[in-house]
Amino acid sequence: DEPKATKPLRKEIKKKGPAHPDGIFSPAVRLAKKAMGEDRLIKFRAKVIALHSDTIKSFVDTADTKFGQGALFTMFQLADKDKNGTLDTNEVAEGLNKLGFSWMKEKQISGIMKRADKDDNGVIDYEEFVDEAPKTLKTNLVKLAKKNGGDLGFLS
């Protein structure tokens, strides 16, 4: 009698590739990992990411300053393709994409429109934009920084 094949008690865990793709800075990160040790590098990287996130948040918090108001005005004008003084869903989607927020899908853009459109007329006027933009920017600029850090190999 030949022995019957038995099923393994646990499924084999397939090994995944690296959590983050290699980028232009991956060799430097690997070198730093060897020099500093992985634990120390992870702690250092976390500190840098936290400082960078705080910098982004501080920048967005300037929205109430003269500089911030000028930046928001310029962003609004650039997004207002038809120059009618309001932003429709397509203009918001295109503006977010041009900022690099490529992960923003219809559902998220609809949520932004719903939150921002206080008078329920289907578009965002400048005052509504000034109220909503800092919240959207704060969240998504941090996401963009993490995405770019991964793409460049800082998270290798």
Side-chain angles (χ1 to χ4, degrees), residues 54-70:
D54 288 346
T55 301
I56 290 169
K57 290 172 184 172
S58 294
F59 169 72
V60 173
D61 287 343
T62 67
D64 293 331
T65 67
K66 187 175 181 179
F67 170 78
Q69 291 295 307

Side-chain angles (χ1 to χ4, degrees), residues 1 11 17 20 23 28-29 31 42 54 58 66 71 75 84-85 94 116 122 127-128 149 153:
D1 284 312
K11 287 185 178 181
H20 297 281
V29 171
L31 184 62
I42 289 170
D54 288 346
S58 294
K66 187 175 181 179
M75 288 176 65
N84 68 353
E94 186 178 331
E127 290 76 25
E128 293 168 330

Side-chain angles (χ1 to χ4, degrees), residues 60-150:
V60 173
D61 287 343
T62 67
D64 293 331
T65 67
K66 187 175 181 179
F67 170 78
Q69 291 295 307
L72 289 172
F73 182 74
T74 300
M75 288 176 65
F76 185 85
Q77 285 192 313
L78 291 170
D80 185 14
K81 294 296 183 188
D82 59 11
K83 304 300 178 206
N84 68 353
T86 63
L87 304 179
D88 61 29
T89 302
N90 291 332
E91 289 170 320
V92 170
E94 186 178 331
L96 291 168
N97 194 49
K98 286 190 177 197
L99 286 171
F101 305 161
S102 57
W103 56 86
M104 300 290 285
K105 303 296 179 216
E106 190 175 324
K107 182 179 178 181
Q108 290 92 349
I109 293 165
S110 292
I112 291 168
M113 292 295 293
K114 187 175 183 174
R115 264 192 327 272
D117 184 16
K118 302 291 187 207
D119 57 9
D120 261 347
N121 65 349
V123 293
I124 299 173
D125 61 37
Y126 181 68
E127 290 76 25
E128 293 168 330
F129 176 81
V130 168
D131 188 46
E132 176 61 30
K135 297 171 213 146
T136 298
L137 287 170
K138 190 178 287 190
T139 300
N140 289 288
L141 284 171
V142 170
K143 282 184 185 179
L144 181 62
K146 289 178 182 176
K147 179 189 176 302
N148 289 344

Side-chain angles (χ1 to χ4, degrees), residues 23-39:
I24 191 167
F25 292 103
S26 295
V29 171
R30 284 193 281 276
L31 184 62
K33 193 180 291 187
K34 284 181 183 177
M36 298 171 72
E38 188 167 2
D39 288 341

